[in-house]
Amino acid sequence: MNTPQAIRGTQDIFGAEAEAFAHVVETFERVRKLYRFRRIEMPVFEKTEVFSRSIGETTDVVSKEMYSFEDRGGESLTLRPEFTAGICRAYLTNGWQQHAPLKVATHGPLFRYERPQKGRYRQFHQLDAEILGAGEPQADVELLVLADQLLKELGIADGVTLMLNTLGDAESRDAWRAALVEYFRAVKAELSEDSQDRLERNPLRILDSKDPRDQAFVADAPRIDDFLSSEAQDFFGKVTSGLDAAGVAWTRAPSLVRGLDYYRHTAFEFVTDRLGAQGTVLGGGRYDGLMESLGGPFTPAVGWAAGIERLAMLVGDRFPHAEVSVAILPESDDLEAKAAAIAALLRREGISCWTAFRQNPKKRNAKARSEIAMASSDGVYAALYVRSGEIPSQEFKITSVSETEAELRLSRRVMQILGEDKFGL
Ligand code: ATP
Ligand code: MG
């Protein structure tokens, strides 16, 4: 019988890549606590309308990327392609308004039917941070400072640039939209088929097109700045001065729009040229109109999401992950139980132990050493041989490879625990 293959666009992540992935998530968890963003857990699927009503019918995500299906009750459900819409649905259905302004964070898998390539998958993972029920530009600033600190703590801020734009308020946006339609209509025949289609329905989308036929015209397209109301200008001014005050570098990107329709005012992406075509690692903005599209009251909010796989690729193996571990090596089969008891004792004391279930001590030692060296070249390592004997000095022999100060300290600590405990054997 042949073995079923994994679904196209999904990944089985193992080894150094899995460690980098975990490091990204752990760093995010630590940093979001510094900003007191509360952890939430969200369902992986929602009613299809949660996404179709909020993200916009003419966006790529809704028109061609969603995994939607009918369940056995005949209801149309969708595997979440992003976090924000589900979080807004939860905010409304759970009465989280009482906590406003509410700062929340989550992470997990998302699903989009895309053409798989490096950095682009059908199941991928995001970090997500949102501030719900806050219309102040200071909320936008705080989210961007959080994103900036995250990238710095991951050690990948160099070569990643914050591209910042404003889409203005409803009034500014409508005027800009009309100017874009007029501008692109004049060159309609030269645009891509997709953009000809977008022209009347959703002209802002053309600015986000990756098709070179469209990009030739994007550079000279009308800019939002010529249409901003004074309120919208004032809002954007507070965002940029807040960033400057917090020491967060940014670059103005006047044709930046996001792949989803719900953004107002602030829109941003952190981009790099170190990942080829998939250069956006984090994106987001303000979405004051989203709650209303889900039938809720006007609720200003702002948020971002970052691709964990893309962040992990940037991190690579450049993070501190010194392994500290003791290999537990019984010298004969009848000492397996005693070796297991010692491993349990040391682990309860907070010492990482490597164990295996077969092979002689010499082979086990070699495997332990290669696995720890594989995980980190600067690993701290000791081998504890478990022997038969009556007094501790005969029962154990501990050795380390390079006898560094750290390895000697580890060995002393292990012998001290074993000497104190007598481990009830
Ligand atoms: P892109 O322009 O690369 O398609 P997007 O604008 O569709 O990205 P968002 O919906 O804003 O992306 O998602 C935020 C982040 O999630 C992206 O910046 C990226 O890092 C990551 N991301 C989005 N789609 C994928 C995917 N299919 N595979 C891997 N990561 C993704
Ligand atoms: Mg996309």
Side-chain angles (χ1 to χ4, degrees):
M1 268 207 296
N2 53 14
T3 305
Q5 298 297 300
I7 296 172
R8 188 166 137 77
T10 65
Q11 294 194 98
D12 307 310
I13 309 172
F14 175 71
E17 282 168 36
E19 298 300 333
F21 188 108
H23 177 68
V24 169
V25 173
E26 283 162 19
T27 306
F28 175 64
E29 275 296 295
R30 188 163 50 74
V31 174
R32 67 100 184 152
K33 286 177 192 164
L34 295 175
Y35 288 74
R36 297 199 60 89
F37 275 56
R38 294 160 78 170
R39 178 70 202 231
I40 51 170
E41 298 298 334
M42 301 299 304
V44 168
F45 56 177
E46 295 276 354
K47 291 183 181 175
T48 298
E49 62 177 327
V50 169
F51 306 110
S52 58
R53 282 168 55 177
S54 57
I55 297 174
E57 294 281 359
T58 58
T59 60
D60 284 354
V61 171
V62 172
S63 66
K64 50 191 186 206
E65 295 176 359
M66 292 205 302
Y67 278 94
S68 301
F69 58 97
E70 257 188 29
D71 73 358
R72 286 165 197 276
E75 182 140 53
S76 178
L77 306 182
T78 294
L79 299 182
R80 62 184 181 199
E82 57 122 41
F83 277 115
T84 309
I87 291 173
C88 290
R89 191 275 306 148
Y91 185 83
L92 296 171
T93 58
N94 295 309
W96 289 350
Q97 288 101 324
Q98 61 176 308
H99 305 294
L102 175 61
K103 303 175 185 180
V104 294
T106 192
H107 61 83
L110 294 305
F111 306 85
R112 294 182 193 177
Y113 194 81
E114 301 210 62
R115 196 167 65 77
Q117 50 200 292
K118 185 167 174 275
R120 189 175 294 286
Y121 314 100
R122 289 183 175 176
Q123 174 172 337
F124 61 101
H125 300 78
Q126 283 181 344
L127 311 171
D128 187 273
E130 316 274 348
I131 303 180
L132 307 161
E136 297 79 7
Q138 289 78 11
D140 309 45
V141 173
E142 186 167 272
L143 270 168
L144 284 164
V145 177
L146 162 56
D148 178 75
Q149 183 167 355
L150 173 69
L151 298 180
K152 285 185 176 138
E153 300 222 356
L154 286 171
I156 58 175
D158 278 353
V160 179
T161 309
L162 165 55
M163 308 297 281
L164 184 68
N165 197 17
T166 174
L167 306 177
D169 47 25
E171 184 197 329
S172 324
R173 207 178 135 113
D174 286 350
W176 185 36
R177 185 185 195 284
L180 285 170
V181 172
E182 198 184 304
Y183 169 81
F184 284 119
R185 203 181 275 147
V187 294
K188 182 171 178 180
E190 294 169 72
L191 299 176
S192 68
E193 294 75 31
D194 275 351
S195 288
Q196 295 190 14
D197 185 49
R198 289 170 182 135
L199 185 53
E200 309 292 335
R201 293 196 298 156
N202 200 344
L204 268 65
R205 286 268 67 76
I206 302 175
L207 300 177
D208 196 39
S209 168
K210 279 148 194 139
D211 193 306
R213 286 173 290 174
D214 301 328
Q215 281 171 348
F217 297 103
V218 167
D220 296 324
R223 302 202 161 184
I224 181 67
D225 291 33
D226 298 329
F227 306 93
L228 283 181
S229 66
S230 60
E231 288 83 1
Q233 257 174 38
D234 184 46
F235 191 97
F236 193 53
K238 285 183 171 141
V239 172
T240 56
S241 60
L243 291 174
D244 293 340
V248 174
W250 56 276
T251 300
R252 182 68 200 278
S255 54
L256 185 147
V257 295
R258 306 276 307 123
L260 319 168
D261 274 352
Y262 46 59
Y263 292 109
R264 300 284 179 275
H265 289 292
T266 322
F268 54 84
E269 290 183 343
F270 284 79
V271 299
T272 176
D273 53 15
R274 299 211 304 264
L275 293 176
Q278 270 51 253
T280 305
V281 292
L282 185 152
R286 176 160 281 283
Y287 50 90
D288 293 349
L290 202 163
M291 297 277 189
E292 286 167 299
S293 70
L294 293 175
F298 172 75
T299 310
V302 52
W304 57 251
I308 299 179
E309 288 86 352
R310 293 185 196 177
L311 292 173
M313 283 194 288
L314 285 180
V315 166
D317 52 13
R318 297 174 305 126
F319 61 92
H321 55 325
E323 295 274 324
V324 178
S325 206
V326 182
I328 309 294
L329 308 167
E331 290 209 318
S332 59
D333 287 351
D334 58 325
L335 291 166
E336 295 283 355
K338 181 174 170 183
I342 288 163
L345 169 69
L346 293 176
R347 285 166 174 156
R348 285 185 199 117
E349 293 290 332
I351 294 177
S352 156
C353 294
W354 182 97
T355 57
F357 309 108
R358 68 174 92 98
Q359 292 176 330
N360 65 46
K362 211 171 137 203
K363 281 194 180 143
R364 284 195 206 189
N365 193 6
K367 184 161 163 56
R369 224 183 298 173
S370 78
E371 284 192 7
I372 289 166
M374 208 158 67
S376 68
S377 51
D378 52 354
V380 175
Y381 174 73
L384 180 70
Y385 292 90
V386 180
R387 304 155 148 177
S388 50
E390 287 306 313
I391 52 171
S393 63
Q394 293 169 344
E395 280 178 298
F396 305 109
K397 186 177 135 209
I398 193 152
T399 65
S400 63
V401 193
S402 38
E403 310 252 306
T404 58
E405 184 50 42
E407 289 190 342
L408 292 174
R409 220 180 305 127
L410 174 65
S411 301
R412 279 199 297 273
R413 173 96 182 100
V414 168
M415 292 315 281
Q416 184 199 354
I417 293 167
L418 295 178
E420 275 167 10
D421 185 83
K422 315 275 183 287
F423 40 85
L425 296 174

